[in-house]
């Protein structure tokens, strides 16, 4: 066994310097990656980017999950290789049409689509596959298929994280231009006399309402569809929606920095987008199940997120149009600035958060398509049967790239501002110190609600502007419960 030069040697007959060298390289790479994440986290905390730091923690959780999946695949590779089935079981739902006279290797074709002559990447893989072949059967899942499945899941998770980060960075870079609009508004002292103007004189109304007394819904949706490709948010849009938000939620602070709040909220939402939730894993299983030869499922997997993204962008633009339409219908002339009225009624099912969920699904499906393409390209080559026809492959990649760029430069900036046109506001409206103080206060409010007869003299954190004594629980219960629900 030790002297067999043509056979793979187990660990007990491998030179120690090889084992130590390989383990050292793996440990060094792992430590460097861990230190990189650690320093990145410290830098985010020093920069007071707590939402991004929480997103980094989410990435670490995903990496831990992937490590556990990797461990399970490695541990159960041997037992799964000894689960034998009849060759006829492998003739259904194949991703590729099997070549003739090669049916004895269909066990590895369930996922990989490559039959016969498969190379064994792990030493125990060949023996586990031969265990079933000696019985005239095939393994339920070959060692090579398990290994490639392992690699694919890792590539998918990394691709999803990288593409999500790129999309959010593109969106933030696009919204950087809005900082100048915010600075210009802050510099304006607002001392000019408030004149009465006809509602059609406002540029925001002219851009969206066009002065029509009756608006065609089809025309409005068509205009919203095309506007997402150019100038999705103009200076007039930003100014008007900013004022509408302030008049709805912070009427006493006209100098509220809406841009900073919007960026904080976008960073907070990033930690939700970067994660892979259970329903995304379920979608992955469905995609793998439907990858059957002749069904062309991956064409639909490419088109569906692209269509969803176009629908979401059109809806965001249409909400801006609805805001202008509502003002134009209610008023003939307005004194001072134009003020819109944010409301959850403009959103699907009155839920602004649903838009973020759809963007999350779109980014995952797009990441799946891109990861699957590169994994197939490296593993099997461009002309493999599982890759599909070259024309379809090129079309899918072009659509995926367009989808990614459109999401970063148009849809995400639209979401960043339009998502705040709902009835409520997000807790990122406060800075970190105030938020922490309100969270503590809300927690104390919950405890006092459970014990209504208890009289307390607990001060609020100084971050909320001073120590305020709460001595009467009944008198403040409604305010406390409202704050608790908000946080």
């Amino acid at each position: 066994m030790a002297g067999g030069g043509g056979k793979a040697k187990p660990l007990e007959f491998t030179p120690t310097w090889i084992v130590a060298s390989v383990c050292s390289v793996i440990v060094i790479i792992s430590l460097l990656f861990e230190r990189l994440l650690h320093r990145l986290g410290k830098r985010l905390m020093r920069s007071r980017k707590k939402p991004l730091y929480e997103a980094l923690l989410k990435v670490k959780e995903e990496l831990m999950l992937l490590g556990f999946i990797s461990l399970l695949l490695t541990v159960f590779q041997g037992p799964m290789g000894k689960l034998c089935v009849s060759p006829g079981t492998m003739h259904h739902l194949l991703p590729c049409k099997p070549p003739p006279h090669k049916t004895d290797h269909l066990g590895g074709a369930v996922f990989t689509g490559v039959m016969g002559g498969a190379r064994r990447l792990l030493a125990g893989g060949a023996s586990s596959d031969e265990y079933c072949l000696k019985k005239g059967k095939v393994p339920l899942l070959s060692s090579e298929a398990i290994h490639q499945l392992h690699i694919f899941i890792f590539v998918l998770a990394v691709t999803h994280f990288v593409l999500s980060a790129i999309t959010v960075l593109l969106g933030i870079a696009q919204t950087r231009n809005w900082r100048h609009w915010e600075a210009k508004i802050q510099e304006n002292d607002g001392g000019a006399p408030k004149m009465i103007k006809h509602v059609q004189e406002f540029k925001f109304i002219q851009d969206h309402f066009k002065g029509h007394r009756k608006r065609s819904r089809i025309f409005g949706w068509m205009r919203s569809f095309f506007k997402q490709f150019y100038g999705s948010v103009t200076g007039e849009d930003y100014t008007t929606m900013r004022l509408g938000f302030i008049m709805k939620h912070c009427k006493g602070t006209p100098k509220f920095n809406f841009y900073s709040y919007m960026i904080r909220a976008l960073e907070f939402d990033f930690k939700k987008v970067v994660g892979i939730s259970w329903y995304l894993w379920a979608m992955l299983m469905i995609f793998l199940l439907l990858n059957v030869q002749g069904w062309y499922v991956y064409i639909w997997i490419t088109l569906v997120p692209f269509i969803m993204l176009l629908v979401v962008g059109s809806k965001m633009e249409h909400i801006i149009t609805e805001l202008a339409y509502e003002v134009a219908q209610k008023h003939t002339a307005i004194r001072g600035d134009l003020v819109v009225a944010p409301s959850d009624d403009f959103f699907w099912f009155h839920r602004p958060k649903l838009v973020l969920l759809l963007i999350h699904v779109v980014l995952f499906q797009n990441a799946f398509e891109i990861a699957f393409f590169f994994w197939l390209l490296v593993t099997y080559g461009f002309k493999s049967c599982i890759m599909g026809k070259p024309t379809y492959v090129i079309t899918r990649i072009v659509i995926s790239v367009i989808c990614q760029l459109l999401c970063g430069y148009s849809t995400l900036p639209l979401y960043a501002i339009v998502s705040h046109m709902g009835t409520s506001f997000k807790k990122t409206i406060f800075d970190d110190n105030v938020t922490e103080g309100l969270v503590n206060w809300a927690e104390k409010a919950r405890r006092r609600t459970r014990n209504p007869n208890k009289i307390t003299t607990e001060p609020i954190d100084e971050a909320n502007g001073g120590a305020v004594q709460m001595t009467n629980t009944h008198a403040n219960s409604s305010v406390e419960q409202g704050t608790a629900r908000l946080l």
Side-chain angles (χ1 to χ4, degrees), residues 388-404:
K389 296 181 179 180
T391 304
Y392 293 160
V393 175
I394 296 175
T395 303
R396 283 157 42 190
I397 292 302
V398 171
I399 292 177
S400 298
V401 172
I402 294 175
C403 182
Q404 204 71 32

Side-chain angles (χ1 to χ4, degrees), residues 85-219:
V85 295
S86 62
T89 308
M90 299 299 176
H91 294 165
H92 308 286
L93 299 178
L94 294 176
C96 285
K97 184 178 180 180
H101 310 298
K102 298 270 185 166
T103 56
D104 55 333
H105 293 286
L106 287 180
V110 173
F111 179 79
T112 64
V114 174
M115 280 63 69
R119 51 185 170 83
R120 299 295 182 245
L121 299 178
L122 298 178
S127 59
S128 62
D129 292 348
E130 291 174 357
Y131 174 83
C132 293
L133 295 178
K134 290 179 180 179
K135 295 184 175 183
K137 298 182 178 182
V138 293
L140 183 65
L141 197 62
S142 69
S143 58
E144 185 185 8
I146 295 176
H147 182 74
Q148 292 173 346
L149 178 61
H150 176 194
I151 295 177
F152 171 69
I153 293 176
F154 178 79
V155 171
L156 174 62
V158 173
T159 304
H160 178 247
F161 166 71
V162 172
L163 292 182
S164 298
I166 291 176
T167 303
V168 172
L169 292 177
L170 289 176
I172 293 178
Q174 182 74 354
T175 58
R176 293 294 181 187
N177 299 326
W178 303 356
R179 181 190 298 175
H180 304 293
W181 300 338
E182 182 69 34
K184 186 177 180 180
I185 295 173
Q186 296 290 342
E187 292 174 358
N188 187 7
D189 57 3
K194 296 183 178 181
M195 306 296 294
I196 298 179
K197 296 173 60 177
H198 193 275
V199 69
Q200 297 295 339
E201 296 181 26
F202 290 94
K203 193 174 186 306
F204 179 76
I205 300 296
Q206 296 173 1
D207 291 343
H208 296 278
F209 187 61
K210 300 295 183 183
H212 300 301
R213 298 183 65 86
K214 290 185 178 181
R215 183 192 54 165
S216 170
R217 292 186 65 87
I218 298 179
F219 174 78

Side-chain angles (χ1 to χ4, degrees), residues 263-301:
I263 295 299
R264 289 198 304 270
L266 186 61
E267 293 175 349
F268 181 81
D269 291 336
F270 174 65
K271 70 178 182 180
K272 300 179 181 178
V273 173
V274 75
I276 303 181
S277 304
W278 65 268
Y279 51 86
L280 297 181
W281 286 110
M283 291 172 57
L284 172 62
M285 300 303 106
I286 295 175
F287 295 158
L288 297 179
L289 175 65
L290 299 180
N291 181 27
V292 180
Q293 192 265 339
W295 289 13
Y296 304 105
V297 65
Y298 288 107
I299 296 178
W300 297 106
I301 291 177

